[in-house]
Amino acid sequence: MKLIVIGHGMVGHKFLETLLAENAAHAAQGFDVTVLCEEPRHAYDRVHLSEFFAGKSADELSLVAPGFFESRTNVTMKLNAKAASVDRAAHTVTLADGEVLAYDKLVFATGSYPFVPPVPGKDRKDCFVYRTIEDLEGMLECGSRAKSGVVIGGGLLGLECAKALRDMKLATNVVEFAPRLMAVQVDDLGGRMLRNKIEELGVTVHTHKSTLRIVDGETATHRMEFADGSFLETDMIVFSAGIRPRDELARACGLEIGPRGGIAIDDACLTSDADIYAIGECAAWNGQTFGLVAPGYDMARTVARSLLGQTGTFSGADMSTKLKLMGVDVASIGDAHGATPGSRSFQYTDERRQVYKKIVVSDCGKRLLGAVLIGDASEYGSLLQTVLNSIALPEAPEFLILPQALGGARPAIGVDALPASAQVCSCNDVSKGAVEAAVQGGACDIGAIKACTSAGTSCGGCVPLVTQIMKAEMQKQGMAVNNHVCEHFAYSRQELLHLIRVGSIKTFGELLHKHGKGLGCDVCKPVAASILASTWNDFVLKPEHASLQDSNDYFLGNIQKDGTYSVVPRMTGGEVTPDGLIAVGQVAKKYGLYTKITGGQRVDLFGARVDQLPAIWEELIAAGFESGHAYGKSLRTVKSCVGSTWCRYGVGDSVAFAIALENRYKGLRAPHKIKFGVSGCTRECAEAQGKDVGLIATDKGWNLYVCGNSGMKPRHAELLASDLDQETVVKLVDRFLMFYVRTADRLQRTSTWRMNLEGGLDYLKSVVLDDKLGIAAELEAEMQNVVDTYRDEWKNAIEDPTVRERFRTFVNSDAVDDNVVFMPERGQIRPATPEERKQRIIPIAVRSA
């Protein structure tokens, strides 16, 4: 069968992958496939197109696996091949160069084109659309000589484009005709919050703006004149005002077109011609076109299965979406605007943190209809599954979005509540039942689940949910859930900790001899090193421990992208004396280091070669500083506000308490890094509720929050206890931290540990507050031992000649690394880019201080 595919974008390639997949290889041998790609390159990831401006190459954005086309003799890929016409009667496609190709079946995957409003001046030089890599290359060239840029369009793609302009360091504006950003996905309050967050990032937003014309500017290349009489001048204009289906070929050959454009298709994605299919943004199902990639993937699978003789139907798509726009979480689910008759909404707004959440429920209060999440979309997965699977809501649905600190534990929607038909991987159409069937067939780790089902092999966002389903099904089948650290130890991290404590094991060699096999690996060695350090508080660079460390701990510094290291002296509670600041400045100046204030209220010094580290630390220690442990899985910082000492709102001395806590816990090694925050009042300027341990002063004492995280997957901390005096706080924090150290998995943040803790917050309270396990005194004693035996790691390192000897670039030479090259920028240094190295731009001389 001669099959022609017109278009090779994301959806077109998904169709080919499905058709030619391993499980369909035998049936697919009957096809002679020709792919017509209008662009000069294979399919690439348009969803992450803005990463091109952050340095990602076209090859890195490619969706085509190496050898995909070369290994298949029955597939012909034609690049730069534009289809000019289709003759349905003759079953042929004519290309722009005149070549005529015959087909038995034809698939339109032509996608869409950017809509450019009919504004006079739209075709001026340095006016672009945001669609292809060629468009982006033109924008980059313009950006190299421009100072400002405007995006016309405040939707999903428009905000992505605005990020691209910001990445080019242009003064960036967004012009939107509607009264708010992302008008389709979010409501008025959500739009206002999103606007605030976008403007905080340095982008100026103009809504209610209709562009009349584009003419020559006086201070910039262009002047945009608006209907309200105002104007805006800019050097670059990018149109991102929506898309239109590319249906011109279909129109010309007489195929039925949807009422608002797009090639009309049925549930099998067949057009009005029984031999022609349409998929993706060019297709209109029930008069509706779909601008997201997931529905296009569903169409692609439907057509591939149909051609292979399998059952395949497309029945519409959920248009829920979750994105990170310019670093801002934005999510929209189902009926986000509450258009359903009788629906009611619950809303939570935190204007200080710029977080907005809304859920829409049915008139009976039992079904979730939709949601909007701005600034924190951590509940997206559970809310989406609740909508898609009509899971009954709890009695108080508002707690699905309220921070737990506001009155109650958040109701959990466990994996058992999901039906077998629930789609857990939308990229590859994998259901919960398919994951369970894979487990029943013997797939008992996430790698095997991926191989069997393809779940988690595309964007990876579903992997945590898939893992939960896998483990739950393993337990149902009576299988042992394997939490082994690696192949060398048939134990979990928690079990290894118990073996080390009970057996008084002091070295990795002893642990391996008694309880392991082989020689160990890069997984189990750092795990064992962390446990040994937190249990016995030994110096991590003792000869028997040094070889276990990763590169950061081995050199007691964070390695940077160019091979240099950072130096971070501890400044407890963010407090530093003038003499201390002078000493840090003198060191930075002497060794030519890049200096920056961190979010944790410390000074980072970047660009130190490994051979310079001991000398730098010798001077810092002489000035009274200690290691800031910025390299370790340990306490990093205790952030504080100025508290009652200076602030007119402060009710507690947050600085003094922060310093005391940081000095107490600075030597603790843990499964992951730990951060504290101490706020002097409920205005929360130290952001304590986004930390692993957070304290907020009230007129009754201190409120203790735990298991927060403001990193990659933000989580609001939970209130563990309130109205505490400082002595009680220390006692409870001792218990909490040592219980976490004892029971968490490797590299597990307190937030993730808490989410996986059976019994949740109530269980944690029973252990820490009520001593349910009878180990409170033991936990406190263990922590006191850590405190009593603390010694600064860098002081140890510089005083021990054998340790100091390892800080050399080359083991057999005193030469320095001439690959360390810096460029001047804003009065400081930065690592030279690969392009600057290739062009042999004269760098700053390699320092030898």
Side-chain angles (χ1 to χ4, degrees):
M1 179 184 290
K2 292 184 182 297
L3 173 66
I4 293 180
V5 182
I6 303 179
H8 188 231
M10 296 181 73
V11 172
H13 190 64
K14 174 60 72 173
F15 166 73
L16 294 174
E17 284 183 329
T18 308
L19 186 73
L20 304 172
E22 290 297 322
N23 64 353
H26 179 70
Q29 292 306 308
F31 290 98
D32 179 5
V33 184
T34 300
V35 185
L36 305 179
C37 180
E38 191 174 289
E39 293 189 48
R41 54 176 56 84
H42 296 139
Y44 49 89
D45 187 353
R46 293 188 197 275
V47 173
H48 297 98
L49 203 56
S50 64
E51 293 178 16
F52 186 78
F53 294 95
K56 209 164 191 177
S57 68
D59 288 341
E60 290 172 316
L61 287 169
S62 175
L63 296 174
V64 180
F68 181 87
F69 291 108
E70 293 81 357
S71 63
R72 292 174 167 88
T73 58
N74 64 327
V75 181
T76 301
M77 162 58 72
K78 289 180 176 287
L79 297 174
N80 289 309
K82 182 175 181 178
S85 64
V86 175
D87 188 330
R88 292 166 52 201
H91 274 57
T92 60
V93 177
T94 301
L95 306 188
D97 63 5
E99 183 179 3
V100 179
L101 304 174
Y103 70 85
D104 296 310
K105 298 289 183 182
L106 178 64
V107 178
F108 276 98
T110 49
S112 62
Y113 66 89
F115 169 67
V116 178
V119 177
K122 63 183 174 61
D123 297 322
R124 289 167 57 90
K125 187 178 183 297
D126 294 340
C127 289
F128 302 90
V129 294
Y130 187 72
R131 187 63 177 170
T132 68
I133 286 180
E134 284 66 41
D135 295 328
L136 271 57
E137 288 173 341
M139 290 170 60
L140 275 176
E141 188 281 325
C142 178
S144 67
R145 49 187 168 77
K147 294 181 179 179
S148 58
V150 169
V151 180
I152 298 181
L156 294 173
L157 199 60
L159 294 180
E160 278 291 323
C161 182
K163 179 186 183 302
L165 298 188
R166 289 293 297 150
D167 287 344
M168 287 191 282
K169 298 181 171 55
L170 301 183
T172 304
N173 293 262
V174 172
V175 172
E176 169 57 47
F177 178 77
R180 63 175 181 272
L181 298 174
M182 289 182 63
V184 174
Q185 289 84 10
V186 304
D187 60 6
D188 287 335
L189 275 175
R192 187 179 75 185
M193 196 70 71
L194 176 61
R195 177 174 183 157
N196 290 342
K197 292 188 77 71
I198 295 296
E199 289 189 327
E200 281 181 2
L201 296 170
V203 175
T204 304
V205 177
H206 311 264
T207 53
H208 283 294
K209 291 291 183 183
S210 175
T211 307
L212 290 182
R213 63 186 65 85
I214 303 170
V215 297
D216 287 340
E218 295 180 3
T219 61
T221 304
H222 310 289
R223 172 180 286 207
M224 300 172 62
E225 297 181 350
F226 302 121
D228 62 5
S230 62
F231 65 88
L232 178 62
E233 297 209 343
T234 182
D235 294 320
M236 182 194 303
I237 296 175
V238 186
F239 291 95
S240 184
I243 56 175
R244 299 292 185 269
R246 287 199 58 182
D247 55 16
E248 65 274 14
L249 276 176
R251 289 177 186 270
C253 69
L255 288 176
E256 183 182 341
I257 302 298
R260 290 179 292 176
I263 309 167
I265 60 171
D266 62 11
D267 290 354
C269 297
L270 267 173
T271 67
S272 54
D273 185 319
D275 291 324
I276 301 179
Y277 297 87
I279 57 178
E281 293 172 333
C282 68
W285 176 84
N286 280 358
Q288 181 182 7
T289 56
F290 300 89
L292 298 178
V293 71
Y297 281 1
D298 282 344
M299 295 179 193
R301 287 187 285 261
T302 297
V303 174
R305 289 165 183 165
S306 177
L307 289 171
L308 292 168
Q310 303 168 7
T311 302
T313 59
F314 177 76
S315 54
D318 175 71
M319 295 298 285
S320 300
T321 184
K322 173 179 175 287
L323 303 130
K324 187 176 282 288
L325 299 168
M326 301 184 69
V328 179
D329 279 336
V330 181
S332 175
I333 298 172
D335 182 12
H337 294 284
T340 304
S343 62
R344 296 172 288 171
S345 67
F346 298 84
Q347 299 175 8
Y348 166 71
T349 305
D350 183 342
E351 292 194 349
R352 185 177 61 81
R353 290 180 178 270
Q354 295 291 295
V355 171
Y356 170 71
K357 302 181 182 185
K358 180 180 81 170
I359 55 173
V360 179
V361 303
S362 60
D363 55 356
C364 64
K366 295 297 184 184
R367 285 198 312 116
L368 183 64
L369 303 177
V372 176
L373 306 170
I374 306 291
D376 174 14
S378 54
E379 299 92 352
Y380 176 79
S382 60
L383 293 177
L384 178 62
Q385 292 296 335
T386 302
V387 171
L388 294 181
N389 298 288
S390 299
I391 297 173
L393 288 173
E395 185 175 344
E398 63 269 24
F399 285 109
L400 291 171
I401 55 171
L402 284 177
Q404 294 169 348
L406 293 185
R410 181 172 295 158
I413 308 248
V415 293
D416 289 339
L418 297 178
S421 60
Q423 186 188 63
V424 296
C425 174
S426 60
C427 291
N428 297 294
D429 190 28
V430 182
S431 67
K432 175 191 175 186
V435 175
E436 292 173 331
V439 173
Q440 293 162 13
C444 297
D445 62 64
I446 196 64
I449 293 293
K450 287 181 176 181
C452 288
T453 67
S454 295
T457 58
S458 293
C459 75
C462 63
V463 169
L465 178 58
V466 171
T467 303
Q468 291 179 46
I469 294 170
M470 177 190 75
K471 290 186 176 182
E473 183 61 23
M474 287 173 66
Q475 290 179 335
K476 289 179 186 175
Q477 297 297 322
M479 302 178 185
V481 177
N482 186 341
N483 290 321
H484 297 173
V485 166
C486 67
E487 66 268 26
H488 302 108
F489 289 97
Y491 302 100
S492 67
R493 180 195 173 278
Q494 184 177 353
E495 290 166 337
L496 280 182
L497 184 142
H498 291 317
L499 290 171
I500 288 172
R501 290 180 66 247
V502 172
S504 293
I505 295 172
K506 300 296 178 67
T507 68
F508 180 73
E510 185 183 357
L511 178 67
L512 196 63
H513 174 71
K514 290 184 176 180
H515 303 290
K517 61 182 180 181
L519 300 175
C521 64
D522 290 339
V523 173
C524 60
K525 286 180 179 179
V527 170
S530 172
I531 296 172
L532 290 168
S534 58
T535 304
W536 311 121
N537 211 23
D538 270 348
F539 178 39
V540 295
L541 294 186
K542 285 176 66 174
E544 60 267 34
H545 297 328
S547 62
L548 308 177
Q549 311 297 340
D550 62 21
S551 58
N552 283 353
D553 273 313
Y554 189 84
F555 292 114
L556 302 181
N558 269 330
I559 189 169
Q560 304 302 312
K561 63 190 294 185
D562 65 337
T564 61
Y565 289 81
S566 64
V567 174
V568 187
R570 186 172 296 282
M571 296 177 179
T572 51
E575 185 178 85
V576 60
T577 66
D579 285 340
L581 277 177
I582 291 169
V584 170
Q586 288 172 335
V587 167
K589 192 170 183 179
K590 177 178 179 179
Y591 293 92
L593 306 178
Y594 170 82
T595 58
K596 183 183 185 300
I597 304 296
T598 75
Q601 299 178 329
R602 302 195 296 198
V603 177
D604 271 5
L605 311 176
F606 291 91
R609 295 193 314 269
V610 66
D611 59 289
Q612 294 175 316
L613 290 173
I616 291 171
W617 274 105
E618 202 162 35
E619 294 188 36
L620 288 172
I621 289 168
F625 289 103
E626 294 180 329
S627 168
H629 286 91
Y631 47 82
K633 302 296 185 287
S634 53
L635 177 67
R636 294 289 178 88
T637 60
V638 180
K639 187 173 183 178
S640 74
C641 61
V642 296
S644 57
T645 309
W646 295 93
C647 179
R648 67 185 185 276
Y649 299 107
V651 294
D653 189 351
S654 55
V655 177
F657 200 17
I659 291 171
L661 291 170
E662 189 163 346
N663 281 324
R664 181 170 182 80
Y665 300 115
K666 61 189 176 184
L668 180 66
R669 289 280 174 159
H672 209 290
K673 64 184 178 184
I674 303 168
K675 296 182 179 181
F676 283 33
V678 183
S679 289
C681 73
T682 54
R683 293 171 70 86
E684 246 284 68
C685 292
E687 301 168 340
Q689 293 176 84
K691 300 292 190 288
D692 299 278
V693 175
L695 290 154
I696 300 176
T698 72
D699 54 3
K700 296 180 181 178
W702 296 93
N703 289 350
L704 172 60
Y705 294 83
V706 295
C707 302
N709 178 21
S710 59
M712 186 181 294
K713 294 183 178 178
R715 183 177 189 273
H716 207 283
E718 297 171 286
L719 181 63
L720 188 70
S722 56
D723 305 335
L724 307 173
D725 57 45
Q726 291 194 10
E727 183 180 353
T728 305
V729 167
V730 170
K731 181 169 65 175
L732 296 183
V733 173
D734 282 358
R735 296 177 185 179
F736 166 74
L737 288 177
M738 290 311 301
F739 186 56
Y740 161 64
V741 168
R742 279 193 180 190
T743 59
D745 288 335
R746 74 179 191 93
L747 302 181
Q748 192 174 49
R749 293 293 300 262
T750 60
S751 57
T752 310
W753 168 71
R754 158 61 189 88
M755 293 292 284
N756 294 330
L757 198 63
E758 192 170 345
L761 181 63
D762 290 339
Y763 174 70
L764 185 59
K765 285 182 175 180
S766 70
V767 172
V768 175
L769 305 182
D770 305 328
D771 196 16
K772 177 181 180 179
L773 302 180
I775 60 172
E778 187 178 337
L779 296 175
E780 291 172 35
E782 287 180 10
M783 182 61 77
Q784 192 59 49
N785 179 63
V786 170
V787 175
D788 293 341
T789 57
Y790 170 78
R791 189 164 182 232
D792 177 44
E793 289 175 350
W794 261 112
K795 194 169 190 298
N796 267 358
I798 64 174
E799 291 177 353
D800 187 331
T802 60
V803 172
R804 191 161 181 157
E805 180 64 20
R806 70 165 46 94
F807 290 91
R808 301 172 65 180
T809 305
F810 306 105
V811 296
N812 58 350
S813 170
D814 290 328
V816 300
D817 186 358
D818 58 9
N819 288 312
V820 175
V821 179
F822 300 103
M823 302 298 296
E825 186 167 276
R826 297 188 299 277
Q828 297 207 72
I829 60 167
R830 63 163 172 80
T833 65
E835 291 75 18
E836 288 166 341
R837 291 173 183 271
K838 288 178 186 175
Q839 296 169 18
R840 300 186 179 277
I841 293 175
I842 299 174
I844 294 176
V846 177
R847 300 181 309 278
S848 59

